[in-house]
Amino acid sequence: MKRFIPHPSPIFFLLFLFTFHFSPNTSVAQDIDISNGNVFDGEPYIAVNPTNTQNMVIAWMGFVFNSGTGLTIKVKSSFNGGATWSNAVNMPHLRPTFKSADVSMTFDASGNLFLSYIDYRQSPDSGGVYVCKSTNGGLNWSAPVLAIDGLSDGNKLPIDRPWIAVNNAGDKIFVTSKPPSWVSPPNRPYMAHSENGGANFFPWRYIDTTGFLVGNILAQPMPAPAYSGNNFFVMYPSYLPSQSIYPKYILASSSNNGASFAYYTAIASNICTANGGADSAKLGYKLLTDPSNQNHLGFIFPCGSTDFDIYFIESFDAGVNWTSPVRVNDDAVNNGVMQDMMWGDFDLNGDLVITWRDRRNAAGTGYATASEFYAAFRCHDSANFFPNFHLSDSLVAYNNILSQSGNDFMGVCLRNDTLSAAWGSTRDGSLDIWFTRMKATNGCVSNVSLVSSESQFISVFPNPSDGKSTVRTNSGDAIEKIIVSDMSGKKIMEKKYFSTEANIDLTELPHGIFLLTVFSEGKSFTQKIIH
């Protein structure tokens, strides 16, 4: 749906919507053009299959000629770590006059992929938020199922910027949304859910409630959902002086599928304010859950007065209490450089990556300057981020399409310390979807390098291991040797092989995280395994 950029207030910056958009930039990275479009391809979402990390899927909002409506959700899949991609699958329109936008995706623990998107017509208004399912890594999809009807709340149109969250079993699906930009406040955040894998959805409900209302000022109260353990979480903005003199981010937590919520204040402060100079900045926020600790939540948000920086807070008690904000971007403070379009992800063992659009290497300040994309990495056992590094490979000159609708979001996934990212770039004059894949070279280190495009990767499964796992080379080359080390790099065991697949036995080792270094054809590859 058409993107809405919240209007900054001297009082409150938290009203800005959650944006998703990313572009890699490192001195050794080579970005890959996924969409190769001639007109418009924007707002990509990336998901990586937990049962096969070589299977990744990118979906985005793209333009299709001779389609009647133009905008369609396109999906491409890779089964070799992004070296090659399938032909684009176009998600179906529910009516010939509809157009699609605002895609999001997530895998369950068994490798089933769920996708939500808007299919709608703005005038006269009709359509809704729909959910589809793929059981083969994004190549084929079930028929769309209506999750939220656009006409189900009077003239509020509760179908903008839907996000999807799914439990590990894939039977409980949650979709959140809000009204679009042209609907005047007061507006509220929405949630609908399914308990049968998306076959049908219960009627939607409001997420906010008395004492924890969004209020009458914020036009775009976008809810950011996540699921962990048996709990569904949503972060949303609030500013109602009768509730609090401060603007807030409020976390809603439910253990009964959204039938009721407990509410906690994550931030209550006027320090994150916009002074009216936000330009067209894409200022969103992202709620993260840590797979290694169901009580560990993270929240990324932009904050600033003279410029915008990326900040991170976290909770270790399922959202009841939150840490003080940590500034993630490490350029000079108050230098006028604007950071926006943040995203992030936790790895299986709690390592963390945060990405964003950055202008520190451009001439000038503000939004309309050349940009690239940066990232920061934090090890699971550390409170500090390593130095920022380039994610994209080019400083791209500003193009005015970037201030228009449909370029608000980017995405990143972190699996086995391998970072996979997709974003929109105007480097060739049109907005295309680009992709890169990078790996931490030795577990939790600051040196991040590009994973080779020849698909010379290893697969380890199951991971986490029950003591016995299989190691396979995806290139077909023979494994010559495997060394198992602890996280300090101390060698624990070594074994020689001569096959493309090898079995490793960790049953005699204590439970924990280990490094597998696999030697093949004169090269070595290191990957974590959890035992």
Side-chain angles (χ1 to χ4, degrees), residues 48-55 107-112 415 459-463:
V48 176
N49 190 336
T51 67
N52 175 14
T53 56
Q54 298 301 298
N55 172 210
F107 279 97
D108 67 16
S110 299
N112 299 305
R415 299 292 182 270
S459 297
V460 181
F461 54 94
N463 188 9

Side-chain angles (χ1 to χ4, degrees), residues 105-312:
M105 296 184 297
T106 186
F107 279 97
D108 67 16
S110 299
N112 299 305
L113 179 60
F114 299 88
L115 179 150
S116 70
Y117 68 105
I118 300 168
D119 203 41
Y120 79 107
R121 178 182 60 192
Q122 182 174 338
S123 181
D125 294 322
S126 59
V129 180
Y130 295 86
V131 173
C132 300
K133 177 181 178 180
S134 173
T135 59
N136 61 359
L139 295 178
N140 302 101
W141 295 87
S142 65
V145 174
L146 181 65
I148 300 178
D149 190 324
L151 302 181
S152 59
D153 191 22
N155 62 357
K156 287 299 183 179
L157 299 175
I159 61 172
D160 190 68
R161 193 54 273 174
W163 300 112
I164 190 169
V166 177
N167 69 341
N168 282 336
D171 57 334
K172 297 177 181 178
I173 303 172
F174 300 84
V175 174
T176 61
S177 68
K178 65 179 181 63
S181 58
W182 58 85
V183 175
S184 300
N187 290 322
R188 304 178 70 180
Y190 300 82
M191 182 214 82
H193 83 286
S194 170
E195 295 184 21
N196 56 11
N200 53 62
F201 282 79
F202 288 94
W204 60 262
R205 60 156 292 174
Y206 296 121
I207 298 171
D208 65 336
T209 191
T210 301
F212 303 94
L213 294 170
V214 166
N216 301 329
I217 298 175
L218 305 184
Q220 301 300 311
M222 187 196 68
Y227 197 95
S228 180
N230 295 314
N231 291 317
F232 172 61
F233 301 98
V234 187
M235 190 77 81
Y236 65 92
S238 166
Y239 184 49
L240 183 60
S242 62
Q243 290 178 168
S244 171
I245 61 172
Y246 295 116
K248 292 183 176 183
Y249 278 119
I250 294 175
L251 181 84
S253 172
S254 176
S255 59
N256 56 10
N257 303 324
S260 62
F261 285 98
Y263 296 87
Y264 308 100
T265 296
I267 303 173
S269 173
N270 61 1
I271 62 168
C272 290
T273 61
N275 65 358
D279 298 326
S280 299
K282 314 300 183 180
L283 300 172
Y285 37 92
K286 172 69 171 171
L287 181 64
L288 307 175
T289 55
D290 180 354
S292 71
N293 180 354
Q294 66 182 33
N295 293 319
H296 184 199
L297 308 178
F299 184 59
I300 316 166
F301 61 100
C303 183
S305 55
T306 59
D307 56 23
F308 287 104
D309 294 306
I310 310 303
Y311 280 85
F312 176 72

Side-chain angles (χ1 to χ4, degrees), residues 377-447:
F377 183 80
R378 192 188 77 175
C379 185
H380 66 282
D381 56 1
S382 175
N384 301 313
F385 286 92
F386 288 112
N388 297 172
F389 58 90
H390 281 93
L391 186 61
S392 57
D393 65 8
S394 300
L395 180 66
V396 179
Y398 173 74
N399 186 307
N400 61 11
I401 194 175
L402 299 178
S403 64
Q404 300 170 13
S405 299
N407 182 48
D408 296 342
F409 298 91
M410 68 167 292
V412 64
C413 289
L414 187 65
R415 299 292 182 270
N416 299 324
D417 288 337
T418 297
L419 176 161
S420 301
W423 69 97
S425 175
T426 57
R427 63 184 69 188
D428 62 356
S430 63
L431 185 61
D432 291 337
I433 305 303
W434 292 75
F435 166 81
T436 200
R437 183 172 165 92
M438 313 171 80
K439 190 173 181 69
T441 57
N442 187 23
C444 296
V445 298
S446 59
N447 180 24

